[in-house]
Amino acid sequence: MKRVHRKIVSGALLCGCALFTLYGASRVAEKSEKGALPVSLSGEGDELPVIVLDAGHGGIDGGCTSAEGVPEKGINLDILLRLRDILEVNGYEVRVTRDSDRSIHDEGVEGIAAQKSSDMDNRLAMFNESGNAVCVSVHQNQFTDPKYKGAQMFYSGSNSTSEVLARALQSRFRELLQPDNDREIKLCGKELFLCYYSDNPTVMAECGFMSNPDEAALLNTEEYRGKVAFTLFAGINDFVHRKK
């Protein structure tokens, strides 16, 4: 596989997070417990895309942490596993970059930097191996000022429909889970390697701020992570069944 040169970029912004009737935020728990919404294709013969999910970080790389020391990596993984189950119940083929707390670097690679590079290359390969895929990388955000909160979607510029996917996801977060969320979607740069170099429609979903005590506390509960997973599902499904 072609290796892409990466630069490690420092900064405080990130740490490295239709077919439905309108569901209010108060109904997300009920729907996520049922684990399914009806998926109806727009016509006979339509093919659902493969959904490729990535849980950011893993293994020695914990990602960002809350003030209480809870690492991002486990929150990302739990949301991914819940999202995978909902998608599969609704007829989607789902592939995941990891389903446990681990790095997916090549066997025999030594050194943290080399392992991280190999890990990211392997995640990117999974994102790009199918020509009919929708890719979502689950992350949590962090900022120096703890007042900031709310999900925010970063999208790839390499595929013209990534922005549409980002808007669908951001809209569902605002509608179902975070009605006061006024954050804007953003085009990712090279520092977001997996998002930037993906060929398929791709979004890095920063689901909340670990640096915000209230949001971090919510993300540390199974109930809220279930709501986040359902919200991501709703946005993905909106994107898949949008009017072309």
Side-chain angles (χ1 to χ4, degrees), residues 14-242:
L14 298 171
C15 86
C17 215
L19 294 183
F20 303 115
T21 56
L22 297 179
Y23 295 102
S26 62
R27 299 188 62 195
V28 179
E30 173 192 348
K31 295 295 180 182
S32 60
E33 284 174 5
K34 291 181 179 178
L37 285 177
V39 171
S40 57
L41 300 180
S42 57
E44 268 188 56
D46 285 352
E47 181 181 357
L48 289 173
V50 174
I51 309 298
V52 185
L53 302 177
D54 171 60
H57 310 286
I60 196 171
D61 178 10
C64 57
T65 58
S66 68
E68 287 70 34
V70 177
E72 171 192 359
K73 63 176 182 177
I75 292 172
N76 297 339
L77 178 61
D78 187 70
I79 292 171
L80 175 145
L81 295 175
R82 293 170 185 272
L83 175 57
R84 179 190 65 183
D85 291 347
I86 299 171
L87 285 162
E88 288 181 341
V89 163
N90 283 280
Y92 288 94
E93 178 185 348
V94 183
R95 301 171 188 169
V96 300
T97 57
R98 67 181 182 99
D99 57 7
S100 61
D101 181 15
R102 66 187 182 94
S103 166
I104 62 167
H105 60 267
D106 291 338
E107 186 176 352
V109 174
E110 298 182 356
I112 294 175
Q115 288 177 354
K116 185 62 179 177
S117 177
S118 174
D119 171 270
M120 294 305 295
D121 283 333
N122 289 335
R123 293 181 197 233
L124 181 62
M126 291 187 67
F127 271 28
N128 287 337
E129 69 184 359
S130 173
N132 181 32
V134 173
C135 307
V136 176
S137 183
V138 179
H139 280 259
Q140 309 307 318
N141 216 332
Q142 190 173 53
F143 198 67
T144 52
D145 189 334
K147 73 178 181 182
Y148 292 102
K149 63 180 181 178
Q152 186 170 30
M153 306 301 121
F154 291 78
Y155 63 93
S156 168
S158 61
N159 187 293
S160 60
T161 58
S162 291
E163 182 177 359
V164 181
L165 174 60
R167 291 193 185 282
L169 291 167
Q170 192 73 37
S171 176
R172 281 299 190 171
F173 267 95
R174 185 176 299 115
E175 175 194 339
L176 295 177
L177 202 56
Q178 302 167 357
D180 60 345
N181 186 336
D182 60 359
R183 307 190 71 80
E184 298 291 334
I185 64 171
K186 287 191 175 182
L187 182 67
C188 71
K190 291 183 180 180
E191 72 277 7
L192 301 184
F193 170 77
L194 188 59
C195 179
Y196 185 84
Y197 289 105
S198 177
D199 296 330
N200 286 303
T202 299
V203 165
M204 181 175 178
E206 298 278 5
C207 301
F209 278 78
M210 297 292 283
S211 49
N212 180 281
D214 293 337
E215 198 156 63
L218 283 173
L219 287 163
N220 203 34
T221 66
E222 291 186 3
E223 179 183 5
Y224 189 76
R225 292 194 298 270
K227 293 178 181 180
V228 170
F230 180 81
T231 301
L232 289 168
F233 162 71
I236 292 169
N237 209 45
D238 286 347
F239 172 77
V240 170
H241 296 290
R242 73 196 185 281

